[in-house]
Amino acid sequence: MSRIVGIDLGTTNSLVAYMDHGTPRVISAHHERAMVPSVVALTDNGLIVGDSAKEHLTRNPERTVYSVKRFMGKSLADVQGELAYFPYTLTEKGGVIRIKLGEKSYSPPQISAMILKELKLRAEAFLGESIAKAVITVPAYFNDSQRQATKDAGMIAGLEVLRIINEPTAAALAYGLQERTQGTIAVYDLGGGTFDISILKLKNGIFEVLATNGDTHLGGDDFDQLIADLFLTEIRRQYGLDLSTHPDHMQAVRLEAERAKIRLSDELKTTASLDLPDGKGRFTRELTRDQLDALSIALVERTLGPCRLAVKDSGLAPGDIDEVVLVGGSTRMPLVRQRVQALFGKRPHCELNPDEVVALGAAVQADILSGGTTDMLLLDVTPLSLGIETMGGVMSSLIRRNTTIPASAKEMFTTYVDGQTGVDIHILQGERELAKDNRSLARFRLKVPPLPAGVPRIEVTFLIDANGILNVTAKDMRTGETQSIEIKPSYGLSDQEVERMIEDSFKFAADDVSARKLIEARLDAGALLTTTEKSLADGGHLIATGDVAAIRTALSALAAAKDGNDPRAIRARMADIEQAAKGLTVAMLDDSLKQGLQGKKVSDVTQS
Amino acid sequence: MSGHIHNTDDRRELQMARSMCWHCQSEMAGEYFCDRCVKVQPVSKDLDYFTCFGLPRRLALDPQTLETKFYELSRAFHPDFYQNKSDAEQTISLGNSAMLNTAYRTLRDPIQRAEYLLDLEAGSVKDIRTTPPADLFEEILELQDTLDEFRASDRASESASTLRTKLHADRATLEQRQRDMEAQLQQLFGRWDALQNRGETTEQARAERGRILKDMRDILSNRTYVKNIVNDLVATIA
């Protein structure tokens, strides 16, 4: 079975990991960090991803997308409150957000797919084989639409997503594998844009999630924004400058806020400094850890409510938790560690790199799925209750939150009117009483044969699979026939749209491949030109002048081809040179051998 | 919108008859895997949860035994271990896992376990309307009035504060009632298990079984009734 990689598709950074003889390892490209910033920028040379794209945040803010994870599976109305913070333009089509980049608009899964593709390329270059399968992590508190959007992103990137797993659970797998822990653990995962808390029981290789909770809109980004807002207010007051009309400066403020926050995890005070527009000079400000704590305390407190709820839902008390594991870059903040320790009355573990542990866990899960590991098994739960709308707009729960997945529920439906041919079903997710207060997942119409009221009996099975994604099937109990159900997702791409995006991405991929081939051919040609010139200089005297002329002709032909756009022409001219220079190479080898043998005894030569 | 019926009359007779392997058509002798071709078999819809866990139909269960068996069956059925298998096997693994998870959740909780057993032995509790005993009914009617009065009152007023004190007292009374019912249930559970262990088939034993089941059903139904009221009360005075 081909290799499956584990991918942490994060709000701010993404990573890919693989299993190396029983040990999960993250993959880093040549001399680069393993983390790929989850940033996509449209430049004059096309779309770029990662560190190079991150540089465009301040240079090219309107065409540089970051934190796209916040928009996965969302409608524009869902994110209305924070639109002002994003310099790029968001629109909506068919209940799905679209991000404008130059002439084209992209859905969040398409942008995420670009990040996934970058990770895929890295893994392929590192492992020297093509990668087509992956396990991708999502926040535990992601709803069905957000999970589906992540799966779509994988498909668009040309990856078969064998499993969507929850980030805190992935972290527990990596942690459990390393520490061989038994008992009850709490995983506190505060990432760039999301917060999760999961309570797990670890016993003889079984990782049973007891409860999970969280907030899919709370993370490091929000801390940065608070600091940035403070800077912006002060800049307005001191310099009379409103930076909100300068998207490039807004990004610079946000990035400086992030850097100051990171420094304050190790230091007690730091200095933030920013160039101002309109020749207003520099804004410089000292920020102390106490000041940061005062700014962030409300956000940190917001994570504690879900923690208490998760512990309660597990049927435990905070003191029953044996170990607390910290995951996500934001848990480096001393205030976070302090509050978590106070809540559980235990010093939290942070031995594993909080940035990498999720990707490592995804690699472990990938290994389980490929049959490499059989002693570990993850039993996860669904984070939100699933139900349907009933009379009076009330939600009737079918599968409660924190139910172990796979989970299924059956419901029988009938008609109220003679000859009625359809029953409309509205699927919801959430904990609120009224349908309208919960997340609408999908609507579908159940086909019913025209019969007297109450006679049809259609059994609908709602199944949440191991990915936490809903599948619906219906069966006519009278005829025993199953019926396929076309579900229209409330906030997601339709199957046809995903299909089209996959096709588009192949088209882009074809462009990418030929572009890559050209670049590589030019690089190789450049190297060959240099080495051949050097050989001519060093050994030209060893061969006939006619041969030297032939090599020179071939060299100028390659130089001309290198300026063209055809990689095959370049390769052909390179082959010509190798052919023409064969004599030169042989002559030089002979010469160097001769040189090397001079002054040596025969016995030395044979012995060495 | 949708007219949905709660799954009434969904009870089927326990069917222990062994069938054929879906894959190699040989006679099934193994429990969940075919002895001949080692393929996983779909757990029959008619298999009750107790049998699935290899447990007798008793109300006292050792949680450790239950958990151990759950983990063991999870290792046998979980979709993670069927990724490289055929579509048919993956579908069976998914269905079996979902069933196993429901079974474990039901048996793990003593109340759900008792409700499930009642369902197996005498039909679903939820479908039978039992009238609560007169004194409980009176008590709750009065409480409903107080709750309405409290909801309508100005929370800062003195009368609201008096009502709040009364509601707190009512809550304590109801919670005591809940504890009494739990104790009665425990006792009934014990009597049921003892009767089952004796395995008598006399007319007398049959009548005793019927009585215990009826008493259990009444208390479980009243318990739900009281529980809902307490939840409502707690939410109102919080």
Side-chain angles (χ1 to χ4, degrees):
Chain A
M1 175 159 187
S2 61
R3 192 193 288 275
I4 312 171
V5 293
I7 293 177
D8 172 5
L9 182 59
T11 307
T12 38
N13 291 295
S14 299
L15 290 102
V16 56
Y18 75 111
M19 206 67 165
D20 180 17
H21 303 287
T23 307
R25 293 187 202 289
V26 294
I27 293 172
S28 48
H30 269 302
H31 313 296
E32 280 182 72
R33 302 182 308 151
M35 288 202 288
V36 174
S38 304
V39 182
V40 173
L42 177 65
T43 67
D44 295 339
N45 298 317
L47 290 159
I48 55 169
V49 179
D51 280 311
S52 50
K54 199 174 175 180
E55 286 165 19
H56 286 260
L57 280 172
T58 49
R59 279 169 31 201
N60 201 0
E62 290 97 340
R63 303 168 100 194
T64 309
V65 184
Y66 63 96
S67 296
V68 69
K69 193 172 175 178
R70 289 193 164 224
F71 304 127
M72 294 287 272
K74 298 268 177 165
S75 71
L76 204 54
D78 292 330
V79 295
Q80 205 61 47
E82 52 195 304
L83 283 187
Y85 290 123
F86 292 96
Y88 43 92
T89 311
L90 297 171
T91 54
E92 188 185 283
K93 202 178 119 201
V96 178
I97 288 178
R98 311 286 158 148
I99 299 155
K100 203 164 150 28
L101 272 182
E103 296 301 303
K104 292 187 74 173
S105 283
Y106 301 88
S107 65
Q110 281 176 297
I111 301 284
S112 296
M114 295 170 197
I115 301 165
L116 288 174
K117 217 180 257 177
E118 176 67 26
L119 296 170
K120 180 177 183 269
L121 285 172
R122 276 194 176 205
E124 286 173 341
F126 181 86
L127 298 166
E129 58 190 279
S130 90
I131 300 291
K133 293 173 178 178
V135 168
I136 303 180
T137 64
V138 294
Y141 219 54
F142 252 22
N143 65 27
D144 186 272
S145 322
Q146 292 167 305
R147 283 167 199 269
Q148 191 61 58
T150 307
K151 218 176 164 190
D152 292 344
M155 284 172 70
I156 298 167
L159 286 168
E160 185 189 345
V161 183
L162 290 185
R163 180 61 50 84
I164 295 285
I165 70 164
N166 295 329
E167 285 155 14
T169 347
L173 270 182
Y175 177 81
L177 176 71
Q178 176 156 324
E179 305 292 326
R180 297 271 163 217
T181 310
Q182 305 268 340
T184 314
I185 68 166
V187 182
Y188 178 103
D189 180 358
L190 189 60
T194 58
F195 167 67
D196 281 324
I197 174 79
S198 287
I199 313 294
L200 292 100
K201 183 171 179 177
L202 274 56
K203 197 172 179 182
N204 304 328
I206 300 264
F207 291 65
E208 185 189 3
V209 180
L210 301 176
T212 195
N213 212 302
D215 187 332
T216 56
H217 251 66
L218 175 58
D221 282 4
D222 298 285
F223 293 90
D224 301 345
Q225 198 57 57
L226 283 178
I227 304 169
D229 284 346
L230 175 78
F231 292 171
L232 290 172
T233 313
E234 290 178 349
I235 290 169
R236 195 175 309 125
R237 209 172 47 222
Q238 289 170 29
Y239 300 88
L241 262 178
D242 179 10
L243 291 189
S244 63
T245 55
H246 299 80
D248 48 341
H249 287 274
M250 287 289 277
Q251 288 307 311
V253 172
R254 198 177 63 81
L255 291 171
E256 181 63 9
E258 184 193 7
R259 285 190 290 265
K261 176 191 76 177
I262 291 170
R263 287 196 297 269
L264 285 176
S265 288
D266 297 317
E267 294 154 28
L268 289 172
K269 65 178 180 199
T270 188
T271 305
S273 173
L274 286 155
D275 276 324
L276 296 173
D278 310 337
K280 294 278 175 92
R282 269 185 97 69
F283 165 79
T284 310
R285 185 199 202 280
E286 193 185 79
L287 191 67
T288 66
R289 188 186 289 172
D290 285 345
Q291 288 169 331
L292 174 65
D293 288 356
L295 276 178
S296 345
I297 187 72
L299 284 180
V300 178
E301 289 291 336
R302 249 175 74 194
T303 66
L304 302 181
C307 290
R308 292 192 192 94
L309 262 173
V311 172
K312 186 168 168 270
D313 283 351
S314 323
L316 301 169
D320 296 333
I321 305 293
D322 297 318
E323 321 226 350
V324 181
V325 180
L326 296 181
V327 183
S330 306
T331 60
R332 288 203 174 88
M333 289 175 74
L335 181 68
V336 170
R337 296 190 170 187
Q338 209 179 305
R339 302 304 295 169
V340 173
Q341 180 165 350
L343 176 69
F344 292 101
K346 258 169 216 89
R347 205 185 160 74
H349 284 273
C350 23
E351 292 86 4
L352 290 172
N353 182 337
D355 294 321
E356 294 182 353
V357 62
V358 169
L360 296 176
V364 175
Q365 179 64 26
D367 197 42
I368 294 172
L369 295 182
S370 60
T373 304
T374 50
D375 55 342
M376 291 203 279
L377 173 62
L378 185 60
L379 300 173
D380 218 323
V381 299
T382 180
L384 299 156
S385 298
L386 180 98
I388 48 172
E389 182 173 343
T390 54
M391 300 273 248
V394 173
M395 165 160 155
S396 155
S397 266
L398 296 174
I399 298 173
R400 296 245 164 230
R401 73 158 188 266
N402 294 324
T403 297
T404 307
I405 51 173
S408 71
K410 286 182 169 50
E411 199 70 9
M412 197 73 79
F413 291 88
T414 188
T415 50
Y416 281 130
V417 182
D418 288 346
Q420 186 179 332
T421 54
V423 176
D424 292 319
I425 297 177
H426 185 196
I427 309 176
L428 304 158
Q429 206 170 24
E431 312 308 319
R432 305 284 297 276
E433 195 87 6
L434 295 179
K436 68 174 173 60
D437 297 326
N438 289 305
R439 185 78 183 165
S440 168
L441 287 190
R443 289 172 192 274
F444 68 91
R445 170 160 267 244
L446 204 57
K447 277 177 249 136
V448 180
L451 286 166
V455 173
R457 291 175 76 78
I458 313 283
E459 183 187 71
V460 179
T461 304
F462 300 86
L463 176 91
I464 299 180
D465 65 16
N467 300 308
I469 293 178
L470 176 69
N471 301 268
V472 184
T473 48
K475 188 173 170 188
D476 188 329
M477 296 309 276
R478 290 174 52 263
T479 61
E481 269 173 50
T482 50
Q483 101 175 222
S484 65
I485 294 177
E486 279 243 358
I487 293 190
K488 190 197 168 300
S490 305
Y491 302 97
L493 300 168
S494 64
D495 289 351
Q496 292 91 323
E497 251 184 308
V498 174
E499 284 296 322
R500 214 195 56 234
M501 287 172 181
I502 294 171
E503 278 168 31
D504 280 356
S505 97
F506 277 133
K507 244 182 282 167
F508 296 143
D511 291 348
D512 289 351
V513 169
S514 53
R516 204 172 263 253
K517 275 190 182 150
L518 179 64
I519 293 167
E520 282 169 4
R522 279 177 179 165
L523 284 173
D524 291 347
L528 186 64
L529 285 173
T530 316
T531 51
T532 315
E533 290 283 5
K534 189 168 181 302
S535 299
L536 269 183
D538 293 347
H541 62 280
L542 299 171
I543 51 170
T545 47
D547 291 342
V548 174
I551 294 172
R552 291 225 176 274
T553 316
L555 281 176
S556 45
L558 176 61
K562 186 172 161 265
D563 290 337
N565 290 321
D566 184 359
R568 271 177 312 178
I570 300 175
R571 296 286 174 197
R573 298 292 84 76
M574 285 170 70
D576 291 349
I577 292 183
E578 268 154 31
Q579 188 62 37
K582 228 179 213 167
L584 175 63
T585 316
V586 173
M588 286 177 77
L589 200 65
D590 285 348
D591 189 52
S592 73
L593 270 175
K594 225 185 300 170
Q595 300 276 339
L597 291 180
Q598 271 170 8
K600 283 189 183 174
K601 287 183 197 151
V602 173
S603 59
D604 290 339
V605 177
T606 48
Q607 262 172 17
S608 59
Chain B
M1 47 160 291
S2 54
H4 79 285
I5 327 166
H6 271 286
N7 43 341
T8 51
D9 199 34
D10 212 20
R11 195 168 75 88
R12 292 178 195 88
E13 284 303 303
L14 178 69
Q15 203 183 45
M16 294 297 292
R18 283 288 176 219
S19 48
M20 280 194 304
C21 166
W22 62 271
H23 185 251
C24 71
Q25 266 88 43
S26 63
E27 192 81 7
M28 274 290 299
E31 205 176 0
Y32 298 117
F33 295 87
C34 173
D35 279 348
R36 219 180 93 197
C37 69
V38 215
K39 296 270 189 246
V40 66
Q41 303 295 314
V43 173
S44 162
K45 282 191 186 66
D46 304 317
L47 191 70
D48 77 274
Y49 299 162
F50 290 95
T51 314
C52 169
F53 274 81
L55 293 165
R57 246 184 235 192
R58 301 290 183 273
L59 288 166
L61 277 185
D62 172 31
Q64 282 307 321
T65 314
L66 194 67
E67 186 190 79
T68 306
K69 190 72 188 173
F70 171 62
Y71 287 166
E72 185 192 314
L73 289 173
S74 292
R75 283 187 186 278
F77 295 148
H78 199 278
D80 276 9
F81 301 134
Y82 289 83
Q83 203 71 46
N84 304 327
K85 302 278 170 69
S86 67
D87 284 352
E89 285 164 279
Q90 289 192 23
T91 307
I92 294 171
S93 134
L94 192 59
N96 284 4
S97 282
M99 191 283 310
L100 174 69
N101 289 335
T102 310
Y104 182 53
R105 197 172 55 250
T106 308
L107 294 188
R108 192 175 42 180
D109 177 61
I111 298 297
Q112 283 191 54
R113 190 193 308 151
E115 284 175 345
Y116 178 70
L117 182 118
L118 264 174
D119 190 8
L120 287 177
E121 299 282 345
S124 174
V125 228
K126 287 170 190 131
D127 298 327
I128 301 160
R129 283 260 160 266
T130 48
T131 31
D135 59 327
L136 176 63
F137 192 64
E138 283 292 314
E139 207 177 300
I140 282 172
L141 270 189
E142 206 189 305
L143 174 68
Q144 294 283 23
D145 285 345
T146 321
L147 272 175
D148 287 345
E149 223 179 307
F150 178 73
R151 285 198 189 98
S153 70
D154 172 9
R155 297 293 157 95
S157 72
E158 192 149 321
S159 62
S161 140
T162 317
L163 286 171
R164 186 187 286 272
T165 314
K166 185 173 176 334
L167 286 171
H168 274 289
D170 286 345
R171 177 181 170 182
T173 315
L174 282 177
E175 283 175 343
Q176 182 55 48
R177 205 184 251 281
Q178 280 182 304
R179 282 191 292 275
D180 292 346
M181 288 193 285
E182 306 278 344
Q184 284 168 16
L185 276 176
Q186 282 308 323
Q187 206 223 341
L188 285 170
F189 292 172
R191 274 171 59 200
W192 169 267
D193 287 357
L195 192 66
Q196 291 294 91
N197 288 340
R198 283 203 300 277
E200 288 169 30
T201 49
T202 58
E203 191 58 38
Q204 207 185 351
R206 277 244 307 277
E208 171 73 357
R209 269 167 57 107
R211 269 197 303 277
I212 297 177
L213 288 174
K214 188 190 172 299
D215 288 352
M216 266 200 286
R217 192 181 61 204
D218 288 350
I219 299 177
L220 283 171
S221 158
N222 290 340
R223 185 188 167 280
T224 313
Y225 186 56
V226 172
K227 201 177 111 192
N228 290 342
I229 295 286
V230 171
N231 287 346
D232 193 19
L233 200 159
V234 170
T236 311
I237 57 180

